[in-house]
Amino acid sequence: MGSFACLTARSEREALTYLKKYENAKLLAGGTDLVLALREKKIAPQALIDISRAEDLRYIRRSGDFIHIGSATTFTEIVESPIMQKKARALRLAAGAVGAPQIRNTGTIGGNIATASPAADTVPALVALEARCVIVSPRGQREAGVGDLLAGVGKNTLAPDELIREVYFAAGDDHTYSTFVKFGRRNALAIARINLAVVLSVRDHTIYNPRVALGSVAPNAYRSKAAEEALAGRPWDKSAMPGFWQAVAADAANTLGNRPSAVWKKEAVVGVARQAMEDLWQEVRE
Amino acid sequence: MNTVHVRVRLNGEWREVDVPPYYRLLDLIRTTFGLTGTKEGCGEGECGACTVLLDGMAVDSCLMMAFQADGRDVLTIEGLAGDELHVLQQSFIDRGAVQCGYCTPGMILSAKALLDKNPRPTRQEIKVALSGNLCRCTGYQKILDAVETAANQIAAARGGEGK
């Protein structure tokens, strides 16, 4: 693996200084993907910039209608956050579904997005929440939807000198409910074979603004418009379910294409969708 | 090839070394410091045999670069016993929770991280806390029993002190 610089950035500013200095640097936080890529020689950076202890990148804050999460915030911190007990349940469930305690203790939400695995657990929740990222670099600052940062299996649209500062999303009102389901080979230490997030509002026994994100059935997680259309404006009873399941199965089959796993995944995704809605059924009290 | 300077509080004692930049915390522990209680079961964070406590938090040492532990507290299985075995170590022995022993250091440290934070866990909470540690021998039941026993003993000891 040879030689590279090992740099510790205690702040965003320090990280940006290092990013400017080293053309071929990699940002390191939890390392749960990066360290493997390094050892498998999939990457050969000239510098590793450790941001795991950049305190100004680790936070969970409520600001008006929005929740802001620093990119170096760990999954454990998300699961245990008092703010996350009350809002954006899909994201808390997703963060809690990642790997195992050891992975959750160091893995970060920024890393989960940037690694852009098709099976990333927090990504479907973030996509369903319509989350956006604030991205910084020595050249300035920009924003992008989480979905726009994902560009295929393991590919993101970040420039080499860019760093995700935070991800933010609407907290949702008291009529907003969400869920996340992960289907993997084990109850823990499992990569998702299918994951799914649903965020919706229920008022007057009617579904509003449904957002449904499917993961692990395409290069990156995505919103299923068909599944959302099957729910939007429908009464909050189980009458919308068959249409919803059919839409989820059709979209998944479409994006799975000819993969060997398509044969079973396009069936199993219906079970995952059913589980998600049964969970929401317990959550919604109106 | 360059080296990186790492200063770490290992099992209560500050140690300073220079290691290759690509060393993981696991390599620092096993190769540099010769503490082989921490195991490399898979090298990819899927088995937990390499679990150590970093500032009290269970982490897979195979996924952390050595330099990331600079200035931090690392507890390995060797750091648990004092003049006597730690109550967790003793209860693992007493409850038959050790067969080949390969998963045991990681299991015990994950359990310690749990009990330090949650002294009265339910069996389900124990299962979740140990869900990052695989065992191929025991079928897990005796490991869970051992953690429950240890928790009860710690609680009883505290009760005895009038707390």
Side-chain angles (χ1 to χ4, degrees):
Chain A
M1 270 153 293
S3 240
F4 49 84
C6 296
L7 308 160
T8 301
R10 305 250 168 205
S11 67
E12 175 191 292
R13 198 168 48 82
E14 245 190 278
L16 291 179
T17 305
Y18 287 134
L19 279 171
K20 189 169 181 183
K21 187 172 172 191
Y22 292 89
E23 251 178 48
N24 180 15
K26 282 288 182 189
L27 293 162
L28 170 66
T32 59
D33 290 309
L34 193 76
V35 171
L36 298 180
L38 190 72
R39 293 181 64 79
E40 289 165 14
K41 309 210 167 139
K42 290 179 178 161
I43 54 169
Q46 37 160 195
L48 288 184
I49 306 168
D50 178 19
I51 55 169
S52 65
R53 281 176 285 168
E55 292 307 314
D56 61 354
L57 291 173
R58 282 174 89 137
Y59 54 87
I60 302 173
R61 295 200 268 264
R62 175 87 187 254
S63 174
D65 294 330
F66 291 89
I67 295 173
H68 301 255
I69 304 182
S71 62
T73 306
T74 68
F75 300 119
T76 295
E77 286 164 347
I78 293 170
V79 168
E80 295 182 350
S81 155
I83 294 173
M84 297 301 295
Q85 299 308 310
K86 300 201 163 97
K87 292 287 176 187
R89 180 170 175 270
L91 181 58
R92 175 168 56 82
L93 294 176
V98 173
Q102 292 92 322
I103 303 283
R104 295 195 284 275
N105 283 339
T106 60
T108 64
I109 192 165
N112 208 213
I113 297 168
T115 299
S117 163
D121 285 315
T122 65
V123 173
L126 290 170
V127 166
L129 287 164
E130 297 178 277
R132 296 180 62 76
C133 290
V134 176
I135 299 147
V136 293
S137 77
R139 300 169 284 112
Q141 185 172 314
R142 68 181 178 102
E143 282 198 17
V146 168
D148 293 331
L149 284 180
L150 307 170
V153 175
K155 292 188 168 67
N156 65 47
T157 58
L158 294 168
D161 65 346
E162 282 185 320
L163 174 157
I164 300 172
R165 171 192 288 162
E166 68 166 39
V167 58
Y168 71 91
F169 47 88
D173 63 17
D174 292 339
H175 301 280
T176 305
Y177 304 90
S178 66
T179 186
F180 170 85
V181 175
K182 173 176 179 172
F183 178 72
R185 286 197 167 112
R186 293 191 281 250
N187 287 330
L189 280 175
I191 303 285
R193 303 307 303 278
I194 298 170
N195 44 18
L196 181 136
V198 179
V199 183
L200 47 75
S201 301
V202 179
R203 254 190 216 90
D204 299 328
H205 215 64
T206 306
I207 301 173
Y208 290 97
N209 196 18
R211 285 153 287 161
V212 179
L214 292 174
S216 312
V217 295
N220 300 113
Y222 64 94
R223 279 175 62 180
S224 167
K225 295 291 176 209
E228 293 171 3
E229 276 159 24
L231 292 176
R234 300 298 301 266
W236 181 248
D237 56 31
K238 302 203 173 170
S239 64
M241 289 304 97
F244 173 62
W245 297 328
Q246 198 175 9
V248 164
D251 262 5
N254 186 42
T255 52
L256 285 164
N258 288 326
R259 281 177 191 74
S261 61
V263 172
W264 68 266
K265 278 197 183 185
K266 64 185 191 201
E267 308 267 351
V269 71
V270 174
V272 174
R274 177 181 279 130
Q275 216 177 308
M277 294 314 282
E278 306 235 317
D279 179 70
L280 270 183
W281 196 253
Q282 304 296 321
E283 283 296 301
V284 178
R285 293 266 165 270
E286 40 194 308
Chain B
M1 191 193 54
N2 61 317
T3 60
V4 60
H5 191 75
V6 180
R7 191 170 162 270
V8 66
R9 190 157 168 265
L10 180 66
N11 296 331
E13 246 186 66
W14 282 103
R15 310 284 300 269
E16 272 192 71
V17 283
D18 294 302
V19 295
Y22 54 80
Y23 259 33
R24 303 160 299 175
L25 179 58
L26 179 63
D27 303 309
L28 186 71
I29 290 167
R30 288 181 59 87
T31 306
T32 308
F33 294 125
L35 297 178
T36 54
T38 308
K39 310 298 185 194
E40 178 160 16
C42 72
E44 47 182 33
E46 298 233 2
C47 77
C50 67
T51 303
V52 297
L53 299 192
L54 181 77
D55 295 336
M57 201 173 58
V59 301
D60 290 323
S61 62
C62 73
L63 292 181
M64 182 166 285
M65 300 304 285
F67 80 96
Q68 292 184 286
D70 185 61
R72 302 179 80 166
D73 221 292
V74 174
L75 181 71
T76 71
I77 191 69
E78 290 88 351
L80 216 49
D83 296 326
E84 291 174 353
L85 290 178
H86 189 276
V87 62
L88 272 166
Q89 290 170 308
Q90 191 60 52
S91 71
F92 265 62
I93 294 169
D94 294 341
R95 299 307 303 261
V98 183
Q99 290 189 28
C100 81
Y102 205 77
C103 76
T104 307
M107 285 285 184
I108 288 178
L109 288 171
S110 287
K112 180 179 190 323
L114 169 70
L115 296 182
D116 286 348
K117 204 165 163 179
N118 178 4
R120 293 184 174 278
T122 61
R123 198 165 173 95
Q124 180 60 25
E125 285 170 330
I126 298 171
K127 285 183 186 178
V128 173
L130 300 189
S131 62
N133 295 81
L134 298 183
C135 173
R136 300 296 280 130
C137 298
T138 66
Y140 299 100
Q141 297 309 313
K142 296 197 177 193
I143 292 174
L144 299 174
D145 293 344
V147 179
E148 274 185 353
T149 299
N152 291 338
Q153 285 174 350
I154 293 170
R158 286 208 183 120
E161 286 160 21
K163 287 207 173 111

